[in-house]
Amino acid sequence: MLSALHSPTAAPGFPGLPPLDARLAGRLWRGSSLSASAAPTLPSGFAALDAELPGDGWPLQAVTELLTPQFGVLEWRLLAPALRRWWCAQALPATTGRRRHTAAPVLRSLLLINPPHAPHLPGLQALGLPPSALIWVDAATPAEALWAAEQAIKSRVAVLAWLPEARPEQIRRLQVSALSSDAPAFLMRPERAGQQSSAAPLRLAVKPGEGWALDVHLLKRRGPAHEGWLTLPAVPGAVEPLLTAARRKPQPAPGPVPSPAPAPASPPLERDHALARTVLHA
């Protein structure tokens, strides 16, 4: 049976079909090599990260977990380039051959479910995400947040959900829903969630690096284990023009402060002896 999978001949009884190797190339992968999934992906905007992601980008038919030490600090700097690309791709008018449709495309929204802070619209707009693209869902309970995330994924809209208390079986349910979606879905989880099993095919640990960089480690992917950390330059677009070249780079750690040289001791003041003073006569 295994030899048939590697046979270069066409499938018996079905003339004209491509060889099995060609038909299954995007669905079979070896555990020692990075998966080349046939599912669509979205470039992350970081070349070094795309080189380590199966399919060269964020998966669009799966949920992706981001594990961070503190919510609301690193997510936008890591995800903004991809989300901006996704939104701009929707805004382009569809084409068929040489004819261009003039009707405006139906733009799908970006749902923010239980973000740790109220969305700052001017800041998000500076990242290339217009306010009209954003919907803020403020769920009262973790159960409501999970329900909102599942319904949004089923509706094929982009999802950023902060789910600190989600259990493995709940993540599995979201992953099953994402299989029929072609929009990115990111779940923000605390660092301690890395000790739990997860059905998400892609899990990343993200922490602040030196200067404006982000340090990223792939905890789980379809392929070999990722060793070490990636350092990604992630200066916000609105901040970059305000920084000098020196400020864009990590600053060297300050060395020990040299102790000041001891001041030379001043010689003791000599007081004249009483017998050596000039005697004034009346």
Side-chain angles (χ1 to χ4, degrees):
M1 185 64 180
L2 293 178
S3 60
L5 293 178
H6 295 278
S7 174
T9 60
F14 297 92
L17 286 181
L20 289 176
D21 281 347
R23 289 187 289 119
L24 300 179
R27 299 185 179 274
L28 296 178
W29 59 277
R30 299 175 181 272
S32 59
S33 61
L34 196 62
S35 171
S37 175
T41 59
L42 178 67
S44 69
F46 301 95
L49 179 58
D50 286 342
E52 300 292 340
L53 295 177
D56 301 327
W58 300 118
L60 295 184
Q61 293 180 349
V63 294
T64 298
E65 280 191 273
L66 301 180
L67 280 58
T68 65
Q70 182 181 355
F71 287 160
V73 177
L74 310 175
E75 302 95 319
W76 289 110
R77 290 168 56 194
L78 178 64
L79 300 179
L83 296 175
R84 179 172 61 246
R85 182 189 296 265
W86 181 78
W87 176 261
C88 293
Q90 292 189 95
L92 295 177
T95 59
T96 303
R98 295 184 178 181
R99 299 182 60 185
R100 181 179 294 270
H101 297 289
T102 57
V106 178
L107 301 181
R108 290 177 288 175
S109 302
L110 170 61
L111 262 67
L112 312 179
I113 301 175
N114 266 12
H117 310 291
H120 184 252
L121 295 183
L124 295 179
Q125 190 168 10
L127 294 176
L129 299 174
S132 59
L134 306 174
I135 297 179
W136 176 18
V137 179
D138 188 11
T141 64
E144 291 183 2
L146 284 166
W147 182 88
E150 183 178 3
Q151 299 306 312
I153 292 174
K154 289 181 178 179
S155 301
R156 299 173 56 242
V157 298
V159 176
L160 271 69
W162 285 260
L163 304 174
E165 301 179 15
R167 300 189 300 271
E169 62 271 18
Q170 295 169 332
I171 300 298
R172 186 182 304 109
R173 186 181 180 95
L174 296 178
Q175 167 61 19
V176 172
S177 299
L179 294 176
S180 58
S181 175
D182 59 350
F186 297 97
L187 311 179
M188 267 55 72
R189 311 290 311 287
E191 279 185 323
R192 65 178 183 273
Q195 302 176 0
Q196 303 173 355
S197 62
S198 174
L202 182 61
R203 308 182 78 193
L204 295 86
V206 186
K207 65 180 183 179
E210 294 184 356
W212 290 94
L214 297 177
D215 290 340
V216 176
H217 173 62
L218 278 67
L219 297 173
K220 179 184 177 183
R221 62 178 176 177
R222 287 173 175 162
H226 178 242
E227 302 292 341
W229 291 76
L230 299 174
T231 299
L232 307 179
V235 182
V239 177
E240 187 172 8
L242 307 178
L243 299 177
T244 63
R247 288 294 182 182
R248 293 190 184 99
K249 301 177 181 179
Q251 299 297 317
V257 179
S259 56
S266 57
L269 296 178
E270 296 183 1
R271 301 183 62 183
D272 295 338
H273 195 272
L275 298 180
R277 296 175 183 172
T278 305
V279 178
L280 297 179
H281 300 280

